[in-house]
Amino acid sequence: MRNKRFPLRFKALLMISLPLLGLIVLLNVLSYYVLSQRFSNLEDKTLQQDVQRVLNSLQSQQDYLRATTRDWASWDDTYQFMEDRNQRYLDLNVSPDSFSNLNINLFVLLDTQGQVVLSKQLDLSGQQISSIEADYFEQHPNLINAGDSRQEVDGIALLPTGPMLISARPILTRQGTGPAQGTLVLGRSIDSALVNKLSAALSFDITIRRFNDPDLPADFQSVSQLSAHNVLCQALDQNTIAGYVLIDDIDGHPVLILRVATSRDIHQQGRETITIFATGTVLVGAIFTVLMLVTVERLWVR
């Protein structure tokens, strides 16, 4: 009789445990794909927001530069200098201290024909002002047209000395009247100092590289076909993910690649959630199986 009971109990165990095991496996597979996709989408969305925060901070730098350029372009002293080229204006305003106070690296004055009257740049040490090549400004129609009181130019330009935020405004009187005496162009270098400032303010690992840099790291090279303003998200390793976006210059051509790298906290949270869910379903299944076997055993004994 006992020999007959054992196969029956074994069959009962199989009848209970196998369907339950199949259900547990199915639930875990489905939860893995569903939760993995959900957390992956959340990770990408969060990273895209982080990239946008960096772009917004860069735009804030551009807005400050725009306001400074507008003030200096509509200043009677600048207007007067374009008429008489007085040395006093240069002595008071074109100095390392003036550049530092204005938070600029570039100061350019163009006449109404687009010819460079003055082109000065503060070096990276912040100690010395030097002249820069004038070809870029004389050959750039956008900046020359900014001498028209109806046009303003703001954006990024790749100068011979490196990428810069630039702002160009027509030189007018304090009342904003003309005729325009030319164009004022101010610039802020997009250098390691600016990148470090943004990184510290936002607590991100920020990297900016030139789009045409022949020595781009491998992870940057996949961004070359990306359209402007679209963010590419890709994992660098199990612990780090990076978002990439192309930045256009004032002509609408890609000139810089911005990378924002952050830790994969959401990815790790997703893995932990999936592990907890899988462990929980296995434990619940095991407890349910034991309870069913005990119930069957009691009914069998009766």
Side-chain angles (χ1 to χ4, degrees):
M1 185 68 178
R2 290 183 178 178
N3 291 336
K4 291 183 179 180
R5 285 185 177 181
F6 180 76
L8 290 176
R9 290 175 179 175
F10 182 72
K11 289 180 180 179
L13 175 63
L14 291 179
M15 290 176 64
I16 296 171
S17 61
L18 287 181
L20 186 59
L21 178 61
L23 180 61
I24 290 173
V25 171
L26 179 61
L27 285 175
N28 278 287
V29 170
L30 289 177
S31 66
Y32 175 80
Y33 284 105
V34 171
L35 291 177
S36 294
Q37 188 62 42
R38 291 286 181 88
F39 276 99
S40 178
N41 291 340
L42 178 60
E43 184 178 47
D44 288 350
K45 183 178 180 179
T46 302
L47 182 58
Q48 290 168 1
Q49 293 172 344
D50 292 340
V51 172
Q52 188 59 52
R53 288 179 60 193
V54 176
L55 292 175
N56 291 343
S57 294
L58 200 59
Q59 183 60 48
S60 295
Q61 298 292 325
Q62 181 72 66
D63 293 342
Y64 172 82
L65 183 64
R66 179 190 298 116
T68 302
T69 307
R70 184 181 294 116
D71 290 344
W72 277 64
S74 298
W75 185 28
D76 288 342
D77 285 12
T78 304
Y79 196 89
Q80 182 66 35
F81 174 78
M82 295 300 292
E83 289 184 332
D84 60 19
R85 308 293 198 271
N86 64 86
Q87 185 63 36
R88 182 174 180 274
Y89 180 86
L90 298 179
D91 294 339
L92 293 176
N93 301 302
V94 185
S95 67
D97 288 341
S98 296
F99 277 45
S100 297
N101 291 335
L102 294 175
N103 201 21
I104 63 172
N105 300 88
L106 179 72
F107 190 101
V108 177
L109 293 171
L110 306 172
D111 64 20
T112 54
Q113 303 302 314
Q115 299 299 309
V116 173
V117 175
L118 180 74
S119 59
K120 297 293 183 180
Q121 183 173 5
L122 183 67
D123 62 15
L124 295 179
S125 68
Q127 301 297 322
Q128 184 175 357
I129 290 180
S130 59
S131 299
I132 63 173
E133 297 179 11
D135 293 348
Y136 178 89
F137 305 99
E138 293 180 347
Q139 297 174 5
H140 206 286
N142 282 1
L143 298 180
I144 295 174
N145 290 339
D148 185 337
S149 59
R150 296 168 297 178
Q151 183 165 341
E152 299 178 344
V153 177
D154 297 288
I156 294 174
L158 185 59
L159 275 60
T161 53
M164 277 196 176
L165 297 170
I166 66 167
S167 181
R169 294 291 183 276
I171 298 174
L172 305 171
T173 64
R174 181 174 54 186
Q175 290 76 25
T177 60
Q181 290 297 316
T183 306
L184 170 66
V185 183
L186 299 184
R188 169 77 189 275
S189 293
I190 302 177
D191 52 15
S192 58
L194 178 58
V195 172
N196 292 337
K197 178 180 179 180
L198 296 178
S199 297
L202 298 173
S203 300
F204 296 145
D205 179 8
I206 300 173
T207 306
I208 297 179
R209 300 291 295 262
R210 295 189 188 185
F211 178 75
N212 60 355
D213 187 345
D215 299 320
L216 280 176
D219 63 300
F220 278 83
Q221 295 175 8
S222 59
V223 191
S224 59
Q225 303 302 319
L226 188 67
S227 58
H229 310 301
N230 290 333
V231 178
L232 172 67
C233 303
Q234 61 181 10
L236 300 182
D237 52 48
Q238 286 293 324
N239 301 315
T240 309
I241 190 170
Y244 306 77
V245 66
L246 293 179
I247 301 177
D248 291 344
D249 63 7
I250 56 178
D251 292 322
H253 302 138
V255 65
L256 298 175
I257 302 175
L258 167 67
R259 184 185 76 179
V260 180
T262 64
S263 59
R264 303 193 67 185
D265 295 337
I266 295 177
H267 174 73
Q268 297 298 334
Q269 183 181 352
R271 291 173 63 91
E272 292 173 3
T273 300
I274 292 172
T275 300
I276 292 172
F277 182 83
T279 303
T281 55
V282 170
L283 289 176
V284 169
I287 293 172
F288 181 78
T289 301
V290 171
L291 290 176
M292 289 299 296
L293 289 175
V294 171
T295 302
V296 170
E297 179 68 19
R298 289 182 177 178
L299 292 175
W300 191 271
V301 171
R302 291 180 183 179

